[in-house]
Amino acid sequence: MKHRGYYGGFGGAFLPEILIPTFDELVSVFESAKTDPGFRNQYETLMAQYSGRPTPLTFAANLTRHFDGAKIYIKREDLNHTGAHKANNVMGQGLLVKKMGKTRVIAETGAGQHGVACATMAAKFGFDCTIYMGEKDVMRQRPNVFWMEQLGATVVPVTDGTKILKDAINQAFRDWVTNMDTTHYVLGTACGPHPFPEMVAWFQSIIGIEARQQILDLEGRLPDRVYACVGGGSNALGLFAGFLDDPVELVGVEAGGKGIDTGFHAARLSSTDAGAGIAQGYKTYFLQDDDGQMKETHSISAGLDYVGVSPILAHMHETGTARFESATDAEVVDALKLTMRSEGIIPALESAHAFAGAFREAPTLSRDQIIIINQSGRGDKDIFTVADVLNDPEWKTFIQTKAAQYHA
Amino acid sequence: MLESYIRDKQKQKDLLLMTHIVMGYPSFDDSHAMVKHMVAAGVDLMELQIPFSEPMADGPVILKANQKALEQGATVAKCLAFAKDMAAIYPIPFLFMTYANIPYRFGMAAFAKTTADIGLTGAIVPDLPMEEGAEYLQAMKKNQLSPIQMFSPGTSDARMAQIASIASGFIYCLARKGVTGAQTDLSDDLAQYLARCRKAASVPLAVGFGIKDRADMDFLAGRADIAVIGSETIRVMEKGGVAAVRDFIQGLSRSA
């Protein structure tokens, strides 16, 4: 356990004694998997056959014309099985669960994409599955709750704290300390105690490794900038992993919510509102008050509405390896509308943050420059949120009619 | 010295009793009344929890108490002032219980110094294992405070020896896996585990997690030195009011 999992001053494993043996086992299984080429092969074969990898790198000709700046490419993680990059992580962890001989998995989820991916993995591997989800997120993401349940998972709404992602994480840890002999906690992002940040980033690196090869095949050169949204940070780390040794600018876009100055946001690295702290088993930047109590966060997208951030990204922020920006809810909806109309692609609200960040900068670049946006997930799940924001009258009528049918 | 206090007390009792309150829940006045009743009823040591928004190792009862205390305006400064008053008024050792981010934000050195200055004897920080706690352990030692260490049923013999080598005051033995407040099965397994703890450590052993009645106390007498009652006192208080805690504790207290 000693001094592992640090990225500069961030990371670590701040664990209650009860979990130490469980983490020792996990570290050991992951370390042996990581150095075993057979395991990576098994993982990549599974992702090719089950999840549809490699996902395409799509040239966005219309958006490129619209902004008249950099050439815009989109890495299509939305085309993964279950509709998001989350599949990369859960299938990898599923293989590790089999190696450990455990029979039950638990997970937390914000937007629901990780929950759906985890429930899918559990169904495929034959594990029992419980998903913790903040009560507020259950309300926001009902369609995903429906699918998790149909896939055989038990979804537990969490009514503690602020009733969102961080509270679901706490609840999952509580389950784990009780049931760790049979249960693995499939943490959904590159946060939490070591080895989770490294392990999740390692599984997600498949995104960037593919994207690098694809852009070389298509353009014969590397991109100038790559953009990804940042909640916990797993899709950003996945994309960035392909370009760490290249002269490529890495840009992470956080949730600016109602605006950085309003206090209603989830911008940990791109605002000055966050500070270093220790919670949920690791050290990173948290949105917290002077006493060290975590603050409420806000984002239109449940998946970015998180109080901490990957310790790997916190370190990249401090060392200037990556640049972090934010996009407001309003900018995100505009980016989403433009992408739908011009490309026939519906990004998730989370991913639309990366689009908003890229759209702000694309016109300032020249036509011979190239950018890649990571579309971490598809937007179908956000239909209720987006229809609300767009105040769509036809949709409202449909919902009213449907509700009336249920009452009949 | 916390350990010598415990050894002294053991001349009168075969099992000491440590209780726990969340400072500011349901109010600081009620917290004071709880301490007063508990001391009068014969409690030997007490944990004063500084509430945290993410109490990872606590079960639903203490989790809710943490949240309510914070909602009602409990701050670290108010908790420190409260703890200082308690240590001045009542003649038993008090320890802080909290999570790592509270002392980390306060500054580990400053936190330890303040803890000593206001008359507390140590602290229990469950999410600060020895591997991550170098600065904390050093600051506590410098101020002659006990940074209470923990054993769990899954802790290996080798690790127990390592933990015992930095232990001071007593070691907190978790009676089972899980979070605070749930039922604990007092069984041969627990007895064997406590025997293992005893073999590994020379400091006194406290046992907590799910201890709640006279039968539990009888089981622990002779196997451990201190019984820890946490969630159950909050349950008793919520059901019967602060005064009910006194009867509850009196019913548990033992003599040698």
Side-chain angles (χ1 to χ4, degrees), chain A residues 47-129:
Chain A
M47 294 314 290
Q49 292 180 352
Y50 188 65
S51 198
R53 299 208 73 93
T55 58
L57 185 69
T58 303
F59 175 53
N62 298 329
L63 284 170
T64 300
R65 207 165 23 250
H66 176 84
F67 288 111
D68 194 25
K71 285 179 92 167
I72 299 173
Y73 281 86
I74 304 171
K75 178 61 174 166
R76 302 293 304 281
E77 289 305 293
D78 58 309
L79 295 178
N80 256 302
H81 181 44
T82 71
H85 73 295
K86 296 291 184 183
N88 306 330
N89 171 38
V90 297
M91 297 312 290
Q93 288 198 44
L95 291 173
L96 294 180
V97 174
K98 284 194 91 160
K99 274 170 92 85
M100 290 186 285
K102 294 186 175 180
T103 55
R104 176 174 178 258
V105 291
I106 55 173
E108 85 299 336
T109 193
Q113 287 304 99
H114 175 57
V116 169
C118 195
T120 302
M121 177 272 280
K124 179 170 171 58
F125 285 121
F127 304 139
D128 286 336
C129 181

Side-chain angles (χ1 to χ4, degrees), chain B residues 203-227:
Chain B
V203 293
L205 301 180
V207 179
F209 275 43
I211 311 300
K212 62 182 188 323
D213 57 24
R214 187 83 212 175
D216 297 345
M217 300 289 288
D218 290 342
F219 178 89
L220 291 178
R223 294 188 167 102
D225 304 294
I226 304 165

